């Protein structure tokens, strides 16, 4: 019979582990939830007395305030946590699939606590990471020296709404234990249990199909710009057909985030290793379209500013990959700013949540051949949208933060160099209104 879960250990205190397990603690007061991570600074931040948490997500602080010290704990003692038993959730990440390195086999990062710690012989291990085939690879890693754990532990794999049994039969216990945790707040008919491959492929497929919708609409935005159609009108009309549906059809400067690109690249890798090159090429094109969209947008900025931005000041509003997060992984803003830098423009950046250290890290990583000190001569991080726009010749909107919809554009206009340009990469400004104020507005998916 499945063990009754009274303890959950989460390995990894990042964007997935933190919020997921905070919610488990909130919804399951009878379960003691411990989140471990090797990164001391990150754990200190989760434990900080004034709740300066390491990640931002609306509502998260309230959940942590309600549970921390009650049934939610953060620690760097991975080994002790693992030996404590109970259900183990791992968010250990795979090496990031990168466009330049298509052929890299996804593998567990050597930094993963999973690679460093011994697993007890009887624990339910479930992975909320998406790449395929996570569970099978962890399983095959087990006997190796990486995991100093003889008798093989029990595995199951969990995705957003599904969990999968895995042989040996105790895998069914792990699956049932996990389903029982979720049953505390998720209606049982919404908890799907499927086989290992279906489970993992479903997660990849869901993200690939969502990303594909964005690449499709972004591909159409290029046609709109060349013809006179308006991408918002096209998306609205197409989405009216309930088989297509209205959601996730917002044209943009390109999708970002830690999941879409990585999951598609894993799908590509999987297809290639299964000798399905046509399938691999099909999905790869979704990512290539996304790269094209980012390139196209920065080129449009340069073209519009009379073919050169050298020495000009550009305000970039938003650095996070989407609104309501401080997460910058694969953010389109990084690529745009790198392009502007290499055209020798000056860039002012403002984001309501992303901390300056993160911005410097990302820009440094994006231009490996340029010393950070040189980048800092060209880039300034600002404390407000208005400050960023001061003396700029152009404003580029890269993230759809709500506060950017509420900007006092007349005020901004007064402080900008003229002619003042606005490039809306998120379709959030009222182009007509801004044009009346005096701006030259360029919008994705609309002709100049
Ligand atoms: C995505 C999926 O949406 C989640 O269902 C999944 O659980 C998660 O990945 C994961 O694998 O963990 P996430 O990457 O956090 O979630 O964010 P999304 O809201 O999906 O946005 C991804 C990117 O697409 C963002 O850059 C966003 O701005 C962009 N986007 C989204 C558009 O450009 N247009 C749209 O219409 C929607």
């Amino acid at each position: 019979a499945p063990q009754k879960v009274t303890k959950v250990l989460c390995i990894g205190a990042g964007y997935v582990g933190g919020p997921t397990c905070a919610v488990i603690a909130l919804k399951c007061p009878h379960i003691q939830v411990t989140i471990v991570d090797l990164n001391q600074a990150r754990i200190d931040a989760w434990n900080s007395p004034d709740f300066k948490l390491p990640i931002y997500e609306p509502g998260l602080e309230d959940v942590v305030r309600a549970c921390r010290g009650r049934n939610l704990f953060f620690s760097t003692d991975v080994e002790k946590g693992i030996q404590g038993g109970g259900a183990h959730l791992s968010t250990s990440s795979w090496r990031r699939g990168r466009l330049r390195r298509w052929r890299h086999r996804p593998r567990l990062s050597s930094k993963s606590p999973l690679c460093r710690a011994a697993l007890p012989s009887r624990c339910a291990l479930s992975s909320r990471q998406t790449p395929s085939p996570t569970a099978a690879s962890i399983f095959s890693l087990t006997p190796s020296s990486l995991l100093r754990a003889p008798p093989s532990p029990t595995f199951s794999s969990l995705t957003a709404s599904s969990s999968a049994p895995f042989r040996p039969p105790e895998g069914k216990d792990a699956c049932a234990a996990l389903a029982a945790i979720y049953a505390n707040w998720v209606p049982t008919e919404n908890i799907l249990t499927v086989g290992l491959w279906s489970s993992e492929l479903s997660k990849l497929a869901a993200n690939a199909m969502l990303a594909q919708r964005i690449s499709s609409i972004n591909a159409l935005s290029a046609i709109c710009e060349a013809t006179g159609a308006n991408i918002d009108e096209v998306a609205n009309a197409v989405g009216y057909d309930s088989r297509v549906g209205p959601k996730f059809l917002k044209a943009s400067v390109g999708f970002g985030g830690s999941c879409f690109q990585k999951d598609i690249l894993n799908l590509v890798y999987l297809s290639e290793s299964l000798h399905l090159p046509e399938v691999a090429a099909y999905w790869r094109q979704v990512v290539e379209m996304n790269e094209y969209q980012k390139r196209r947008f920065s080129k449009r900025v340069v073209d519009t500013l009379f073919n050169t931005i050298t020495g000009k000041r550009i305000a970039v509003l938003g650095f996070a990959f989407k609104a309501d997060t401080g997460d910058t992984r694969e953010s389109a803003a990084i690529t745009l700013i790198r392009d502007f830098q290499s055209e020798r423009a000056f860039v002012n950046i403002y984001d309501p949540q992303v901390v300056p250290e993160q911005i410097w890290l990302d820009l440094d990583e994006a231009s490996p051949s340029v010393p950070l000190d040189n980048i800092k001569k060209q880039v300034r991080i600002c404390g407000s949208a208005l400050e960023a726009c001061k003396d700029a010749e152009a404003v580029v909107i890269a993230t759809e933060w709500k506060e950017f919809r509420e900007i006092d554009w007349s005020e901004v206009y007064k402080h900008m160099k003229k002619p003042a340009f606005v490039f809306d990469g998120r379709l959030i400004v009222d182009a007509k209104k801004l044009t009346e104020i005096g701006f030259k507005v360029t919008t994705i998916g609309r002709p100049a």
Side-chain angles (χ1 to χ4, degrees):
Q3 299 156 275
K4 189 159 165 29
V5 174
T6 55
K7 281 190 202 170
V8 165
L9 175 78
C10 174
I11 306 170
Y15 283 97
V16 176
T20 304
C21 288
V23 168
I24 293 179
L26 183 76
K27 302 289 186 181
C28 314
H30 58 286
I31 296 180
Q32 182 187 313
V33 180
T34 306
I35 307 181
V36 293
D37 199 294
L38 295 168
N39 183 332
Q40 181 75 54
R42 187 186 281 178
I43 290 298
D44 289 347
W46 281 110
N47 281 324
S48 69
D50 53 353
F51 291 87
K52 290 246 169 301
L53 306 181
I55 67 178
Y56 172 78
E57 195 172 301
L60 179 62
E61 188 185 317
D62 292 339
V63 176
V64 176
R65 278 182 187 272
C67 305
R68 199 177 73 187
R70 182 190 76 182
N71 68 330
L72 178 63
F73 303 92
F74 298 90
S75 158
T76 50
D77 198 340
V78 177
E79 200 84 24
K80 180 170 158 229
I82 287 176
Q83 293 310 324
H88 292 31
L89 309 183
S90 166
T91 63
S92 299
S93 189
W94 295 79
R95 185 147 86 197
R96 273 202 258 174
R98 289 211 176 260
L99 205 56
R100 279 177 280 121
R101 293 190 249 134
W102 286 109
R103 287 176 198 285
H104 262 301
R105 187 181 195 285
R107 63 174 179 82
L108 270 176
S109 139
S110 58
K111 283 202 216 115
S112 160
L114 257 187
C115 289
R116 299 204 177 174
L119 289 169
S121 59
R122 191 173 164 75
C123 69
L125 177 68
S126 111
S127 173
R128 240 226 68 171
Q129 262 297 333
T130 42
S132 187
T134 314
S137 297
I138 293 173
F139 185 75
S140 68
L141 273 176
T142 311
S144 84
S145 56
L146 280 177
L147 294 177
R148 290 169 278 117
S152 59
T154 310
F155 290 90
S156 79
S157 172
L158 162 80
T159 65
S161 58
S162 63
S163 64
F166 191 72
R167 283 171 296 270
E170 306 87 66
K172 292 218 163 71
D173 286 2
C175 177
L178 198 52
I181 295 173
Y182 274 90
N184 285 292
W185 76 96
V186 179
T188 39
E189 66 270 23
N190 290 356
I191 302 175
L192 314 177
T193 54
V194 294
L196 178 72
W197 277 101
S198 295
S199 167
E200 298 219 341
L201 195 54
S202 308
K203 184 54 165 56
L204 290 183
N207 275 350
M209 292 183 79
L210 288 170
Q212 181 226 50
R213 274 174 82 91
I214 302 171
S215 278
S216 296
I217 207 76
N218 282 345
L220 290 164
S221 77
I223 300 181
C224 290
E225 288 164 29
T227 55
N230 173 335
I231 195 63
D232 262 346
E233 290 172 356
V234 173
N236 184 48
V238 172
Y240 235 83
D241 184 328
S242 64
R243 293 168 302 177
V244 177
K247 291 180 185 160
F248 246 72
L249 283 181
K250 200 84 189 154
S252 67
V253 65
F255 62 73
S258 66
C259 295
F260 281 3
Q261 175 168 317
K262 173 199 68 181
D263 283 356
I264 296 171
L265 294 187
N266 279 320
L267 206 50
V268 169
Y269 168 77
L270 183 67
S271 310
E272 278 173 352
S273 51
L274 296 171
H275 306 293
L276 302 168
E278 291 82 357
V279 180
Y282 177 78
W283 289 111
R284 178 182 292 146
Q285 191 57 29
V286 173
V287 176
E288 272 169 10
M289 185 54 63
N290 198 49
E291 294 300 312
Y292 170 70
Q293 186 75 352
K294 291 186 269 185
R295 269 202 314 277
R296 222 166 58 76
F297 188 74
S298 46
K299 183 169 181 302
R300 207 168 174 211
V301 172
V302 177
D303 291 353
T304 308
L305 289 172
F306 315 111
N307 297 321
T308 176
I309 57 172
T310 303
K312 296 179 180 170
R313 188 166 290 284
I314 299 176
V316 175
L317 301 186
F319 195 85
F321 82 93
K322 63 172 184 180
D324 289 335
T325 181
D327 195 344
T328 62
R329 286 175 291 178
E330 311 295 341
S331 176
I334 301 173
T335 315
L336 295 182
I337 294 165
R338 189 207 54 204
D339 290 353
F340 298 156
Q341 266 169 243
S342 65
E343 296 281 337
R344 290 186 284 136
F346 293 105
V347 182
N348 288 353
I349 302 172
Y350 168 67
D351 187 283
Q353 280 299 331
V354 181
V355 293
E357 302 84 77
Q358 186 62 49
I359 295 180
W360 296 129
L361 263 173
D362 289 328
L363 295 183
D364 195 25
E365 198 186 273
S367 307
S369 59
V370 185
L372 184 58
D373 282 343
N374 289 13
I375 296 178
K376 287 188 173 177
K377 282 181 199 146
Q378 265 177 285
V379 178
R380 207 170 79 210
I381 298 173
C382 303
S384 72
L386 188 60
E387 187 195 328
C389 296
K390 235 181 159 132
D391 298 326
E393 320 208 4
V395 179
V396 170
I397 299 171
T399 311
E400 70 281 24
W401 283 101
K402 187 163 166 279
E403 68 170 78
F404 300 157
R405 296 174 201 266
E406 291 152 8
I407 286 176
D408 181 347
W409 287 104
S410 310
E411 188 61 24
V412 169
Y413 187 74
K414 282 189 215 153
H415 294 94
M416 285 180 65
K417 287 224 176 103
K418 312 292 169 339
F421 293 90
V422 170
F423 296 89
D424 185 0
R426 290 293 188 168
L427 307 179
I428 61 173
V429 305
D430 183 338
K432 201 163 156 267
K433 215 176 98 192
L434 265 65
T435 308
E436 278 161 22
I437 295 173
F439 285 104
K440 306 259 176 260
V441 184
T442 302
T443 311
I444 285 213
R446 278 186 226 169

